Amino acid sequence: MNGPLLMGIIFLVTMAIGVPIPFAAGLAAIAGVYIIDMPMTLLAQSAYTAFESFPLVTIPLFVLAGQLMERGGMSNHLINISKSLVGSFRGGMGMVTVVACMFFAALSGSGPATTAAIGSITIPGMIKEGYKPRFAGAIAAAGGALGSMIPPSNLLIIYALSSDQSIPRLFLAGIVPGIFLTLLLLLVTFVLSVKYKFGGSDSAFSLGLLLRALWAGKWAIGAPIVILGGIYSGLFTPTEAAAVAVFYGLFVGLFIYKELSWKGMYESLKFTAVVIGTVLFILGSSKAFGQMVTLYDIPEQISTIFAIFESRTWMVLLVIGIIYIIAGMWIETVPQVIIFTAVFFPYVQALGIDPILFGVFTVMTCEVGFLTPPIGVNLFVASRISNTTIEDVSVGVIPFLLPYIGIIILMAFYGGWVTFLPDLFYGTQL
Amino acid sequence: WAKPLTINVGYTGALGSPYDLLATKFAELANEYSNGEVNVKVRCCAQLATEDEAFKAMQLGTVDMYVITDVNVGPHFPLFDIMGLPYVFQSREHVKKVLDGPVGEKLAQDLYDATGVMLLTYGGVGYRDFYNTKRPINTMADLEGIKIRVPKNKAMIATWQAFGAAPIPLAWADTPPALQTGTVDGGDNGTSFIKAQKFYEIAPYLSILEHFAYITPLFASDRILSKMDDAQREAVMRAAKEAGEHHVKEMERELGELRSFLANEGGMEVTYPDKAEFIKVAQQVQDDFSADRSEEFKKLLQDIRDAAK
Amino acid sequence: MFGKIIRLLDKYFEEVLCAICLATMSSTIMFQVVLRYVFGDAHAWVEEISIIGMIGGVYFGAALAVRNKDHLRIVFVLKSLPKFIRTPTIILADLLWLGFIVFLLVQSIEFMKILFTTHYILPGLGIENRWPYLIIPIALVLMIIRMVQVYVRWITKKDKELI
Ligand code: NA
Ligand code: NA
């Protein structure tokens, strides 16, 4: 019996009849483990070890911080400020979301954490302004994926450790594509908002109103300043910043705006638990799933098709891009980067493709996996917060995939624009 | 005749890392000595499991073989914590005498009896070299106040404290940005890792202290060993032994090359502090550390020290 | 009296466990920041505690989500089915899902047995890893109880819908 085929069928069929996605992945993993003749305790072990990663704790922490800020009154102030800044424009709040994701991405290494942190604040705001919930969720999901491109980035670190490349170089190389991606996401948000008439109903821009909103919201603006400043001055690490955000939200909500009650704190914790209990929960089964992909040599088998393209590097990169996007639908993003880098990297290196470029390319293509069903963690987070179905957010996110695909194609044909920054800063690689 | 057997051997480092060297050589020799009856697949980069998980996975039988650094064996088999003590090996000859001799043999046997995981070969020895952004280090006094990133490991923290530096336990993922922002001033890593991560682009000073030696033994699960017939097992054992010997030589040769790369192409200022004062302080750390440990632990430490004489 | 305790447990049990786990997780990491700056000190157990807290949050949160029918599922296929096929399909899906939880519980107990015969000392906390691992089988049992509860409520017509 063909293991991967059976796994695929079980996963799809059980999911279609309504088995929740993490459990469908688990059932498929059982079949895979059975056929390859491994002890089933593998599943019990991955159910625990999948979570033994310290940077992962940023996700619940930022969800919690977002909740505390919302219930403690900070989010309202942030929304008021952005309204008085861009409220008169079509798609203003949507664009604020994208820009906020970009800034947040410069703090957080994780795509889902970025969606959680910014989305928890702006999705409710956008829905209040009349944006379609699926669209509001999609903006936060797509913007959140910036979290893995703009440094720091967990995915770039994983790539670096799998391929023995320099983390600082990769981080520098992520900056330009990250900003470019932000601009393209802004463009898509604007065009769609004009088309569907989202936002822009507020009165015209007024400097006085903006200044008043800024003053009233000074403690709210303090949050990004404390977090950003803290990381860049070396006061604390990005992981610790997540906890600082929680306590800053708590402090301002309790003592400054005084809108946070015991009940509000409890509800924030409860909401966070449901988000991670349904979203992060999938890591437990997808880890075993990923191990099966390795043991069945799936990347190895796929890589045989590279021979067809011989030395045409742009074609090889495009094919890898397509493979990564398809694989990213089914495999969780972190194991995907580990598993495929291990197998594809030597081929790519032999072709003379710049390893730093390939790292950025890998992260950009695998990141699309955050945004594609059935296993797309950013989609899960966004659907939770916007209270819509996964199907709905998945449809909403489609136009936002275009910027990703555009950049991927551009990188395949010419990578100099990605590598010039690290080369400028550190000199060309020895 | 047993059926041809497929073995998955994993490691956490990248392709081309010291782990890779051992695993790949083993795969090649096992294939050769078994006349192709044992097919070893090498899985790099933590595809199978991370180092933290791999030992338990071998106890469960969900991982066949894995190359694990000594410190990550300690939590499962506390005697291995000894390898993580500062200057437990005082020279290359000392390492050889301990690991190739009766002490090493007994340790492997004890490990198997306690955990059911077989140590196939100790492999070669590597050193954590120390880099920093502040100043060249020639004596212990130069370490005063330097903030050093350490993994969350008690022995390492205690050692750097004893050396007069300020150890800061930090997750690996947070380290490169922390170095750039000045949250930490330096750290120690395997020499090949310093090169691969291009730390010479951030930290200008390298000190050859050789305070922490590390070994990366190859382990096997009982489950995979019991799947082999006698001829296959013999081939695997021989392959592991010879791969280990090859690894010892290669690691030594590579270390010289790596350090000269860091000094020349990498432009690092390399210092060779006098180890004597460090060794003296380190032995105190060793004593403190073994004080509340088992009798076996104290005995093993004594046996290792005796071998240095 | 007894009924009241059951009602309270029903309403709050997982919620309170989650709240404790998440609060502990946030506080320990914050504590690390403070420790480093105020006392110039840091501890290895911070990471371990916060990871254990997160795992507790995830698994008890997953049990909570069974009760509240919050787990992420694809519903458009189900919605397109006529009612007399839809309900049996949902029941089949739930049985498969329940089967997986029971299977994972059995495997976790097998795994626990191994954890109790071998050692893994968490380096920072100095405790055996088997104790935090207990979260998994406990949460799986809670999930099974909550699943049964969902059906009891449906059969006794307290809830109209299964999903
Ligand atoms: Na980032
Ligand atoms: Na996906």
Side-chain angles (χ1 to χ4, degrees), chain A residues 328-331 368-373 375-376:
Chain A
M329 296 170 72
W330 309 97
I331 308 173
V368 175
F370 280 136
L371 305 174
T372 52
I375 295 185

Side-chain angles (χ1 to χ4, degrees), chain A residues 104-110 114 146-153:
Chain A
F104 192 84
L107 307 171
S108 151
S110 148
T114 307
L146 287 169
S148 300
M149 195 71 247
I150 294 174
S153 155

Side-chain angles (χ1 to χ4, degrees), chain A residues 14-21 23 26-27 30 40-41 43-45 47-48 51-54 56-57 60-61 64 234-236 240 243-244 247 266 269-270 272-274 276-278 280-281 380 383-384 390-391, chain C residues 12 15-16 18-19 22 25-27 29-30 32-33 36-37 47 50-51 54-55 57-59 61-62 64-65 70-78 89 93 96-97 100-101 103 107-108 110-111 129 132-133 136:
Chain A
T14 53
M15 204 163 50
I17 65 169
V19 175
I21 298 168
F23 299 94
L27 287 164
I30 290 181
M40 286 288 173
T41 35
L43 295 161
Q45 195 193 16
Y48 190 86
F51 299 95
E52 288 182 310
S53 144
F54 189 49
L56 207 59
V57 303
L61 287 175
L64 180 58
L235 261 175
F236 35 78
E240 292 166 353
V244 174
F247 280 84
Y266 184 73
L269 288 165
K270 187 173 142 189
T272 308
V274 172
I276 63 174
T278 53
L280 287 191
F281 185 61
F380 295 172
S383 98
R384 264 281 93 89
I390 315 237
E391 296 96 297
Chain C
Y12 291 114
E15 288 182 20
V16 170
C18 287
L22 294 174
M25 177 183 76
S26 330
S27 317
I29 301 178
M30 192 63 209
Q32 165 166 291
V33 182
R36 206 169 59 227
Y37 285 94
E47 220 171 87
S50 50
I51 285 173
M54 177 181 62
I55 295 177
V58 168
Y59 278 88
L64 187 60
D70 269 336
H71 274 290
L72 295 162
R73 54 190 350 171
I74 307 283
V75 290
F76 76 91
V77 180
L78 288 175
T89 310
L96 281 169
W97 172 20
F100 175 77
I101 300 175
F103 183 81
Q107 295 307 324
S108 298
E110 283 303 306
F111 189 56
N129 200 27
Y133 187 85
I136 307 247

